[in-house]
Amino acid sequence: MAEGSTKVVLAALGGNLMIALTKFVAAAMTGSAAMFSEAIHSVVDSGNQLLLLYGIRRARRPPTPQHPFGHGREVYFWSFVVAVLLFGIGAGLSIYDGWHALSHPEPVKSPWVNFAVLGFAVLFEGFSWVVALREFRRGQSGVGILSAVHRSKNPSVFVVLLEDTAALIGLLLAGIGLTLGEVTGNPIFDAYASIAIGVVLAVVAALLAYESKGLLIGESADRRVVEGIRRIVGEEARVKRPLDVLTMHMGPDDVLLNLSVEFQDSLNAREVEDAVCSLESRIRSQYPIIRRIFVEAESLRVRRGRDADGAAPPQGLPAE
């Protein structure tokens, strides 16, 4: 998964750097506000992809005494930073440039340059979008894009996918604005296109911030994974019943699992230990992303207290 994420980000970075250069040249030659907004968008995207690569690299560092669970969640932090930059710089500058163009409308010069650059940009952005979509769709088949984004735990891929989607929409808006300006002779449509591009970037940035925030705070594993773990525990003959199945993503491919299990009353300490080893082996075999497993065996005294009072004791009570 990490290799696929890096490939997606590198493909997007290469395409955006080339596109940004051509857009700036075209904006300088024609004076188009929409093209200038698109150039800013490509620069912001390139910077964002550099930040994602940095986050992916730092997330691969091994655990340390200060960070015993590793650094996998760094990629979540940098994804949130990307969302903030996309909103503040990309959307903000695009809307401002469009507003300025509304106040001082000027006709676009050499429109054929803009149309040529837009076509060139669509090819590169489309290639990057296809690469990101293919990687994103691995393991997400049969689910809508927004639902898949919400379920995904790998922000480096869905950030690129959403950015590329916003870029393609922005290119379409820029093309519409330029076309209407040429047909009507009114440059105000170019300014409206710039503002519309800024609004699109703001919406995408808000969505990225929302999803990255959830991962940064700590999200559980996919519901299907949790249900599968509960099924595995329930199939173990030495287990009376699973109590809690608590999971948390420490990175895109790193899940922490805490199990609270009630074992059969007749088991001795050695048999409980064997049952725990069996559970860990089966869970890791079926779900390799689960890197750490902690099993809490409920004590006999706590079980008797539950039976006597009719209620479970507070979670986290140490077993005796």
Side-chain angles (χ1 to χ4, degrees):
M1 181 69 75
E3 291 75 11
S5 301
T6 303
K7 179 185 70 174
V8 168
V9 178
L10 286 174
L13 176 61
N16 277 313
L17 287 174
M18 296 184 66
I19 293 169
L21 179 61
T22 56
K23 285 178 180 176
F24 273 120
V25 172
M29 292 177 61
T30 65
S32 169
M35 186 57 66
F36 183 72
S37 295
E38 274 298 300
I40 292 173
H41 180 192
S42 295
V43 170
V44 172
D45 281 354
S46 299
N48 289 345
Q49 277 123 37
L50 288 173
L51 289 177
L52 287 176
L53 288 173
Y54 180 70
I56 291 171
R57 180 173 174 271
R58 288 184 62 85
R60 292 171 177 167
R61 292 181 299 163
T64 64
Q66 292 178 320
H67 299 91
F69 294 106
H71 300 79
R73 292 172 76 175
E74 280 232 26
V75 71
Y76 298 155
F77 169 76
W78 290 108
S79 298
F80 187 79
V81 172
V82 163
V84 173
L85 291 177
L86 184 63
F87 185 88
I89 299 178
L93 286 180
S94 295
I95 293 174
Y96 172 79
D97 189 60
W99 174 82
H100 184 268
L102 280 176
S103 304
H104 306 86
E106 295 181 4
V108 175
K109 298 171 288 186
S110 304
W112 63 268
V113 175
N114 282 331
F115 287 116
V117 170
L118 287 176
F120 178 76
V122 167
L123 291 177
F124 276 93
E125 290 287 5
F127 171 76
S128 174
W129 185 84
V130 169
V131 172
L133 182 64
R134 285 178 177 173
E135 181 65 24
F136 181 71
R137 276 303 191 184
R138 290 170 55 187
Q140 300 283 356
S141 58
V143 182
I145 292 291
L146 290 180
S147 297
V149 167
H150 185 66
R151 285 170 48 173
S152 175
K153 312 301 180 182
N154 190 0
S156 57
V157 175
F158 71 66
V159 164
V160 172
L161 178 63
L162 291 179
E163 281 187 339
D164 286 345
T165 301
L168 290 172
I169 295 173
L171 291 170
L172 175 63
L173 292 172
I176 292 174
L178 288 169
T179 301
L180 290 176
E182 281 300 300
V183 171
T184 63
N186 189 347
I188 202 172
F189 289 105
D190 185 58
Y192 285 141
S194 179
I195 294 174
I197 291 169
V199 171
V200 169
L201 294 180
V203 171
V204 171
L207 177 60
L208 291 177
Y210 175 78
E211 294 298 337
S212 299
K213 181 207 71 169
L215 293 168
L216 190 59
I217 294 173
E219 283 191 2
S220 65
D222 187 272
R223 177 178 53 83
R224 294 168 298 179
V225 174
V226 175
E227 291 176 353
I229 294 170
R230 189 175 291 276
R231 176 183 53 78
I232 290 174
V233 176
E235 290 173 353
E236 171 59 53
R238 290 165 289 189
V239 171
K240 182 178 290 186
R241 58 181 174 136
L243 299 175
D244 290 314
V245 179
L246 306 178
T247 60
M248 180 182 291
H249 267 270
M250 309 305 293
D253 301 311
D254 185 354
V255 174
L256 171 70
L257 169 63
N258 185 78
L259 279 175
S260 179
V261 179
E262 183 176 355
F263 291 96
Q264 297 292 347
D265 296 340
S266 59
L267 299 183
N268 57 37
R270 180 58 182 273
E271 291 170 331
V272 169
E273 182 179 349
D274 290 342
V276 168
C277 290
S278 176
L279 287 174
E280 290 182 350
S281 177
R282 289 188 61 193
I283 291 171
R284 284 198 171 99
S285 175
Q286 188 159 343
Y287 302 105
I289 63 171
I290 297 177
R291 305 287 179 84
R292 299 169 185 84
I293 301 176
F294 298 92
V295 179
E296 182 181 355
E298 191 169 284
S299 70
L300 179 62
R301 191 182 72 82
V302 172
R303 288 203 302 270
R304 286 173 176 169
R306 182 197 299 271
D307 295 339
D309 300 337
Q315 293 296 317
L317 185 67
E320 297 181 3

